[in-house]
Amino acid sequence: MNEIFHRVSIRKYEDRPVEQEKLMKILRAGMQAPSAGNQQPWEFYVVTRPECIQELAKSHIYAGCAAGAPVLIVPVYRKEDLLFPQYAQIDMSIAQENMWLETDALGLGGVWLGIAPIRERMDAVAKILDLPDNVEAFSIFALGYPAEERPQQDRFDESRIHFVE
């Protein structure tokens, strides 16, 4: 799992599309995530329409870098028929991380732009995508071929490990 130690937030992209085959691998990785009670609350909106990408890039103050991405994936979660609805956002976080790691493994770069749990952002994305009432926007994942490169910082801090024996 070298991707864990390689993945960084990429906010600048080359002007070239991402192949459908790679997008499907990324989405497959997301859907492979574990979830509470195996509820699999996820659905994914894959956005390549430039006008929609521009609108989503304006959905909140930190989303501007999405404007230069050739594709955005907007994971959403169902609000109905869930065994453990209180864990839906946790389930979505695992799916999002899986997608990010697969993105890196495929030679692409991405950045996770937080939407949930901030209601204003969730509502803005829902309006832009005309989401049905039974789902909530979770995040915006901007991705593409990286136009920047930087090393990942080493975040290991042994002082944060506590053994209870």
Side-chain angles (χ1 to χ4, degrees):
M1 288 295 305
N2 290 332
E3 292 78 19
I4 290 173
F5 300 102
H6 182 264
R7 179 226 47 83
V8 294
S9 295
I10 298 294
R11 294 177 176 86
K12 296 178 182 172
Y13 310 94
E14 293 179 4
D15 185 19
R16 67 190 253 209
V18 175
E19 298 86 345
Q20 182 79 8
E21 177 184 327
K22 288 185 177 183
L23 290 173
M24 295 308 287
K25 286 181 178 182
I26 291 165
L27 294 163
R28 177 178 288 276
M31 290 185 202
Q32 198 61 34
S35 64
N38 198 29
Q39 63 187 354
Q40 302 175 37
W42 41 71
E43 294 185 20
F44 302 92
Y45 287 73
V46 180
V47 181
T48 56
R49 188 172 61 225
E51 302 81 25
C52 192
I53 289 173
Q54 296 307 310
E55 284 186 65
L56 287 166
K58 295 175 188 171
S59 65
H60 69 82
I61 190 169
Y62 301 109
C65 61
V71 63
L72 306 179
I73 298 176
V74 180
V76 304
Y77 60 94
R78 294 185 317 280
K79 298 187 293 187
E80 301 166 346
D81 302 322
L82 298 177
L83 293 172
F84 304 104
Q86 66 274 31
Y87 291 108
Q89 290 184 7
I90 295 170
D91 295 344
M92 297 304 295
S93 292
I94 300 167
Q96 177 69 73
E97 180 71 2
N98 277 9
M99 292 189 329
W100 206 350
L101 293 173
E102 182 66 11
T103 297
D104 188 81
L106 294 170
L108 301 167
V111 63
W112 177 345
L113 304 166
I115 300 299
I118 301 171
R119 175 53 49 197
E120 178 181 289
R121 294 178 186 179
M122 295 167 76
D123 291 345
V125 170
K127 183 177 180 181
I128 292 166
L129 293 178
D130 193 25
L131 295 178
D133 291 338
N134 69 325
V135 299
E136 295 277 14
F138 176 71
S139 65
I140 296 172
F141 184 52
L143 68 135
Y145 285 92
E148 63 178 337
E149 188 175 320
R150 43 194 186 78
Q152 186 189 67
Q153 60 184 227
D154 185 354
R155 296 178 179 171
F156 183 76
D157 181 351
E158 196 167 348
S159 71
R160 294 181 178 219
I161 300 170
H162 308 278
F163 291 95
V164 180
E165 301 179 282

